[in-house]
Amino acid sequence: MSLTGVLFLGPVVALLRKSGLGTDPWTCFVVGMANIFHSRYGILYPVIIGVLLVIVLFVDKHYIGIATVLNLLLIGPLADQVKILLDSLFSIHMVWQQVACLAAALLILCIASSLYITANLGVSSYDAVALIMADKLPVTFRWCRIGTDIVCTLTGFLFNATIGIGTVLTAFFMGPATQFCCVHIAQPLLGKDKD
């Protein structure tokens, strides 16, 4: 479950970027930083996620595991390579094509995130931030995730990342949608009771 979730996250980033309707908040942040440093997403992603990983290790290392390493090493390069592949396969000229790419990306994003979070083999250091907040504050994960997503979106915007409807949808609804997928898809796959 963990490997499947991580392997689908790179293509999700590529689909979001291909749609031209905005990316998820974390990708928005990384793209913004890539703009500042004139770098590619696939190069800067592991650097930024690695710095955040060091911080998470000091705060609550129990969220770090094999999935964290897979996330660190695979998502950035996969996102770049799948984006190159998608660009070579088709162009988007109509709004319905943009919406279709966005809808597919959002659906896969929530399911993939729920799979690797529920597998409990570690999560990305960005996901760990919201999980740690939910553990330490009297606030559910969904609201912690919305908070971290909003901060990343605003920061990405300040660093010249493009904000679109995809960014807004993921900032406000990815937390609740991922939690729904955890309860109704990922946990039953592991034979766990719904929370």
Side-chain angles (χ1 to χ4, degrees), residues 21-43:
L21 296 175
T23 62
D24 65 279
W26 177 246
T27 301
C28 176
F29 176 80
V30 176
V31 168
M33 296 301 286
N35 290 342
I36 292 285
F37 292 104
H38 306 288
S39 182
R40 290 192 342 254
Y41 178 90
I43 292 173

Side-chain angles (χ1 to χ4, degrees), residues 111-128:
I111 293 171
S113 295
S114 75
L115 289 175
Y116 90 90
I117 287 171
T118 303
N120 202 25
L121 294 176
V123 297
S124 80
S125 45
Y126 174 66
D127 291 325

Side-chain angles (χ1 to χ4, degrees):
M1 281 175 62
S2 185
L3 180 61
T4 300
V6 170
L7 287 176
F8 276 104
L9 290 175
V12 162
V13 170
L15 274 171
L16 286 169
R17 292 172 68 194
K18 182 71 175 174
S19 78
L21 296 175
T23 62
D24 65 279
W26 177 246
T27 301
C28 176
F29 176 80
V30 176
V31 168
M33 296 301 286
N35 290 342
I36 292 285
F37 292 104
H38 306 288
S39 182
R40 290 192 342 254
Y41 178 90
I43 292 173
L44 209 52
Y45 178 89
V47 172
I48 296 172
I49 207 89
V51 169
L52 197 54
L53 174 61
V54 171
I55 295 167
V56 170
L57 281 170
F58 283 106
V59 178
D60 190 345
K61 64 184 176 186
H62 97 273
Y63 287 110
I64 306 304
I66 188 66
T68 311
V69 176
L70 293 172
N71 185 296
L72 175 73
L73 298 175
L74 296 177
I75 291 178
L78 268 174
D80 276 353
Q81 293 306 312
V82 172
K83 176 71 165 63
I84 291 167
L85 177 64
L86 291 176
D87 287 343
S88 71
L89 292 175
F90 65 94
S91 298
I92 293 183
H93 301 289
M94 305 176 98
V95 173
W96 73 265
Q97 294 169 318
Q98 291 179 288
V99 171
C101 275
L102 177 62
L106 294 177
L107 176 64
I108 297 166
L109 176 62
C110 292
I111 293 171
S113 295
S114 75
L115 289 175
Y116 90 90
I117 287 171
T118 303
N120 202 25
L121 294 176
V123 297
S124 80
S125 45
Y126 174 66
D127 291 325
V129 171
L131 290 165
I132 291 168
M133 289 171 61
D135 288 344
K136 298 189 180 299
L137 301 172
V139 182
T140 63
F141 170 74
R142 78 177 70 190
W143 296 111
C144 293
R145 182 58 185 246
I146 288 171
T148 58
D149 286 349
I150 289 170
V151 168
C152 278
T153 300
L154 293 175
T155 304
F157 177 75
L158 291 175
F159 295 141
N160 301 317
T162 302
I163 307 296
I165 187 67
T167 313
V168 173
L169 288 173
T170 54
F172 288 100
F173 300 108
M174 188 178 157
T178 299
Q179 186 173 24
F180 177 87
C181 290
C182 283
V183 170
H184 297 286
I185 296 172
Q187 289 176 4
L189 283 173
L190 282 182
K192 292 184 177 180
D193 294 330
K194 295 179 182 178
D195 290 338

